[in-house]
């Protein structure tokens, strides 16, 4: 029996802005170099990302953060060494999308982990498995479904856009979204979406 995921209309949610959330790196090469330095200090990087679902035209959409004109990513990020994954994801979501006061922070209901991706080397490629010859992967990234309440307020950093992208747009679209995001429709296929219109 498939697990039910309630999805509410995009129009139920309100959006505001907050101070820009600047990227730590200006290029992919800079990011990989910083990852290498952190690996030497802290070991394997663990990151967590959220799959936030809404519905539009009776079809599930995922909320993605857009940086610039082309690059999209799931909200989330790197955990502190030893940090609990669920608590760390709530912290990252609040940092990325929570309002400036406690009353404006959504009640993040972190559900199950739907995917684990591995970065074997200091390269851009990630895999949904850890290759057998790799004994010290550089990053482990987990994707969690985060169940949204019927109504929420999201504060989006001024330098980012929050997009609602339909599953059919993501499916098999590696060119545009990369391997992690473009395979989310397959990972969600075991769930039943309860489209609640209100």
């Amino acid at each position: 029996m498939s697990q039910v995921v309630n999805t509410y209309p995009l129009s139920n949610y309100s959006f505001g802005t907050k101070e820009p959330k600047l990227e730590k790196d200006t290029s992919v090469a800079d990011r990989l170099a910083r990852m290498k330095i952190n690996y030497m200090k802290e070991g394997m990087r663990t990151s967590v990302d959220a799959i936030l679902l809404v519905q539009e035209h009776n079809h599930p959409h995922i909320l993605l953060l857009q940086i610039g004109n082309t690059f999209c990513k799931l909200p989330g990020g790197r955990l502190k060494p030893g940090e609990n994954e669920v608590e760390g994801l709530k912290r990252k979501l609040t940092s990325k999308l929570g309002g400036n006061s406690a009353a404006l922070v959504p009640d993040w209901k972190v559900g199950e982990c739907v995917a684990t991706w591995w970065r074997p080397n200091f390269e851009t490629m990630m895999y949904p498995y850890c290759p057998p010859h790799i004994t010290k992967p550089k990053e482990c990234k987990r994707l969690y479904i985060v169940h949204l309440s019927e109504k929420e307020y999201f504060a989006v950093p001024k330098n980012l856009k929050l997009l609602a992208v339909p599953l059919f747009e993501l499916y098999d679209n590696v060119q545009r979204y990369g391997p992690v995001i473009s395979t989310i429709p397959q990972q969600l296929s075991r769930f039943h979406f309860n489209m609640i219109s209100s």
Side-chain angles (χ1 to χ4, degrees):
M1 183 135 167
S2 46
Q3 188 178 332
V4 174
V5 176
N6 290 333
T7 56
Y8 300 96
L10 181 60
S11 58
N12 277 25
Y13 301 100
S14 53
F15 303 89
T17 59
K18 64 180 179 181
E19 289 307 304
K21 201 98 176 122
L22 300 176
E23 292 292 308
K24 290 186 176 110
D25 309 300
T26 54
S27 70
V28 173
D30 288 350
R31 181 169 183 266
L32 293 174
R34 186 170 57 87
M35 193 181 283
K36 197 173 208 169
I37 291 165
N38 286 339
Y39 180 82
M40 299 305 176
K41 288 193 290 192
E42 301 167 357
M44 183 182 74
R45 170 189 173 114
T46 303
S47 55
V48 286
D49 287 343
I51 298 172
L52 303 172
L53 288 154
V54 298
Q55 60 126 326
E56 183 89 333
H57 308 297
N58 219 27
H59 184 75
H61 287 54
I62 291 176
L63 297 180
L64 295 176
L65 289 167
Q66 183 178 2
I67 303 161
N69 291 326
T70 55
F71 183 72
C72 290
K73 67 179 189 175
L74 293 164
R78 181 169 71 106
L79 296 178
K80 296 174 181 173
E83 186 175 22
N84 173 279
E85 289 183 2
V86 170
E87 293 311 309
L89 182 54
K90 288 179 181 181
R91 176 181 62 80
K92 291 307 248 179
L93 285 170
T94 298
S95 164
K96 295 274 191 329
L97 295 172
N100 292 330
S101 75
L104 294 175
V105 173
D107 177 21
W108 306 112
K109 295 180 184 80
V110 179
E112 73 179 271
C113 177
V114 296
T116 302
W117 288 80
W118 298 90
R119 187 184 309 277
N121 301 301
F122 297 113
E123 298 168 356
T124 55
M125 279 304 295
M126 294 191 84
Y127 301 91
Y129 56 86
C130 189
H133 65 284
I134 299 294
T135 56
K136 294 182 177 174
K138 307 310 180 240
E139 181 179 7
C140 175
K141 177 192 289 281
R142 296 193 201 283
L143 274 53
Y144 285 87
I145 284 191
V146 176
H147 302 275
L148 295 176
S149 301
E150 186 176 355
K151 294 187 185 310
E152 292 290 4
Y153 169 80
F154 299 110
V156 183
K158 287 179 184 171
N159 61 319
L160 304 175
K161 290 180 190 160
L162 189 63
L163 307 176
V165 183
L167 288 187
F168 66 76
E169 162 74 16
L170 298 176
Y171 175 68
D172 207 25
N173 197 345
V174 180
Q175 210 73 25
R176 169 84 172 91
Y177 296 103
V180 175
I181 293 175
S182 65
T183 55
I184 289 174
Q186 292 96 307
Q187 294 152 4
L188 297 182
S189 65
R190 69 181 191 269
F191 296 95
H192 169 74
F193 296 107
N194 184 20
M195 305 291 177
I196 300 170
S197 53
S198 54

